[in-house]
Amino acid sequence: MKSLLGLLALMAMPAVNASCLAVDGNERLTNYCLSARSADAAIPLDLAKVIDARIKYEGYDDGLGFEQVVAPRRFSPLFMPFFEYERNINGGNPAEPLELGNVTLIGDPDLERKDGLVYGAGVGLAGRWLVGEGRYLDYSAIATRREAVDHNLNIDGRFLSICSKNHIGSWRYIDACARRYGEEKRLSDAEVDRVTVSLSQMLSSNGRTHHIVSLEPGRIITDDYRQNQIRASLETVYGNGSMTNISFLYGEDKDAHVATRHQARVGYQGWVAGLLVGLTATRSETNETTFLGYERADRTDQIMVKFSLSERVDLELGYTKSDSTINFFDYAGFTGGLSISPFFLGGD
């Protein structure tokens, strides 16, 4: 940590450091950016205190030497509002007939999926437990309910997460996370466990472009199957404060189940005409399996645009198209909603 403090003691010009904070989407990458752009000039006191607090929040008690103290155990209750479009509120089937060869099957209308606007909220808590220099536990537990505007339907969700974050030296990190996500709809419910180990390295390609490269093996556990996955990703922050990310995921072949086989994602976030805008494009492909004796494989393309309307509220708009070898599972449509940052209600 002494080398980090030495770098930060020679901090960069205010505008350069401010660009590190302009798009603060990755805590570690932002902190690395602030450090790597250290130069010969002093910065305003307020920014120095921000950097001091950020360092202490990663477990380094000394920070930059300011008197402010960060509690080693911090948690807060939270409240999360929702207002969005949901394409399958009840967990039902497509309304189209199922055609398999020369056979056409007509589904029960009561089991067809319903779409529309939903609103609701989530409550829970989130916190961090500092356990050493550059080592801490992040945890959260959240329960949600969303109600349909036009249907007598609701969606209940729950999310649990605990992550051990560890700086192992020379801007390298190893993290281990366990997460559980559950969702209950009128006609279906799902529960997914995901366990991952992530290896990350920070690096710079020049004085003002900084990256975090990660390799993340993981295991998915559902009610139907278990799958090993591995994800590789690169996230970059540039001199103007914009960020890009690219990731590739490879999943173990599960020929008896529909599971993600490949996924590629690219994203950009930056300022356009004074507005913070994010753009993400994703392509996912499932493995080949069979459905009632017929071959099935799906490909899904999605593009999402996010506009930051305020510090807390984002407007998200997107389009999703799924193509399947069985037309019954094809889908194309728009999605979107308001993404509202959690309201933290105090705590330790």
Side-chain angles (χ1 to χ4, degrees):
M1 184 57 195
K2 292 182 178 179
S3 60
L4 172 62
L5 294 177
L7 286 170
L8 285 171
L10 301 172
M11 289 173 286
M13 294 295 291
V16 175
N17 280 281
S19 68
C20 296
L21 296 165
V23 185
D24 190 7
N26 183 306
E27 177 184 358
R28 283 176 174 165
L29 184 57
T30 299
N31 291 349
Y32 176 70
C33 175
L34 290 167
S35 176
R37 292 181 188 178
S38 300
D40 303 324
I43 64 170
L45 179 62
D46 288 345
L47 182 55
K49 289 183 176 180
V50 168
I51 298 172
D52 178 77
R54 294 179 70 98
I55 296 172
K56 290 175 178 176
Y57 198 54
E58 289 193 330
Y60 300 102
D61 294 338
D62 294 337
L64 295 180
F66 289 94
E67 293 183 358
Q68 59 185 336
V69 176
V70 172
R73 301 180 187 179
R74 303 179 65 185
F75 77 94
S76 175
L78 60 85
F79 172 78
M80 301 171 57
F82 296 105
F83 186 76
E84 57 198 13
Y85 171 80
E86 171 63 45
R87 75 179 186 91
N88 194 343
I89 302 172
N90 59 340
N93 298 318
E96 296 79 10
L98 173 60
E99 298 180 356
L100 297 171
N102 297 323
V103 177
T104 299
L105 302 176
I106 306 298
D108 185 341
D110 292 336
L111 302 181
E112 292 178 359
R113 67 185 176 201
K114 307 294 184 182
D115 65 350
L117 294 174
V118 298
Y119 66 94
V123 294
L125 62 85
R128 175 171 294 184
W129 184 351
L130 304 178
V131 295
E133 291 195 344
R135 296 185 296 114
Y136 50 90
L137 296 175
D138 279 344
Y139 57 90
S140 59
I142 302 169
T144 65
R145 167 159 284 200
R146 291 174 288 167
E147 299 279 351
V149 174
D150 297 323
H151 308 283
N152 184 25
L153 296 168
N154 62 69
I155 305 171
D156 290 327
R158 55 193 178 277
F159 177 76
L160 300 171
S161 174
I162 184 167
C163 290
S164 172
K165 305 291 189 75
N166 302 277
H167 181 210
I168 57 176
S170 301
W171 297 107
R172 297 188 183 94
Y173 301 85
I174 182 168
D175 305 327
C177 293
R179 299 184 175 96
R180 168 169 289 185
Y181 175 75
E183 187 174 74
E184 295 180 5
K185 300 181 178 181
R186 175 169 293 181
L187 299 177
S188 69
D189 60 79
E191 191 163 83
V192 179
D193 293 328
R194 179 177 174 85
V195 179
T196 60
V197 176
S198 176
L199 305 172
S200 304
Q201 173 69 62
M202 303 283 191
L203 56 109
S204 299
S205 56
N206 58 54
R208 297 186 64 187
T209 303
H210 317 291
H211 318 272
I212 178 169
V213 182
S214 300
L215 187 66
E216 183 184 85
R219 185 166 177 81
I220 298 291
I221 302 171
T222 74
D223 293 337
D224 297 324
Y225 66 88
R226 300 183 178 188
Q227 183 191 39
N228 296 316
Q229 297 180 342
I230 187 166
R231 184 192 304 272
S233 63
L234 169 66
E235 190 168 355
T236 301
V237 60
Y238 300 93
N240 62 359
S242 63
M243 297 182 72
T244 60
N245 62 77
I246 182 169
S247 67
F248 298 94
L249 180 144
Y250 173 83
E252 177 187 9
D253 188 15
K254 309 298 292 186
D255 57 6
H257 303 280
V258 178
T260 301
R261 182 68 165 158
H262 306 103
Q263 184 186 84
R265 177 174 295 166
V266 294
Y268 167 83
Q269 192 173 22
W271 297 92
V272 178
L275 186 67
L276 184 60
V277 177
L279 178 65
T280 304
T282 307
R283 167 166 288 189
S284 301
E285 297 180 352
T286 68
N287 55 271
E288 293 184 358
T289 185
T290 57
F291 179 78
L292 298 179
Y294 288 82
E295 179 183 300
R296 177 185 175 184
D298 301 349
R299 185 185 72 195
T300 301
D301 295 311
Q302 182 183 71
I303 186 166
M304 295 290 298
V305 183
K306 180 173 70 173
F307 303 93
S308 291
L309 305 182
S310 70
E311 185 176 348
R312 305 195 63 87
V313 181
D314 298 328
L315 172 63
E316 295 184 332
L317 301 172
Y319 181 80
T320 303
K321 182 179 181 181
S322 293
D323 290 316
S324 176
T325 53
I326 298 177
N327 293 341
F328 182 70
F329 298 106
D330 288 350
Y331 170 80
F334 290 93
T335 186
L338 295 177
S339 174
I340 305 173
S341 300
F343 291 88
F344 292 94
L345 308 176
D348 296 330

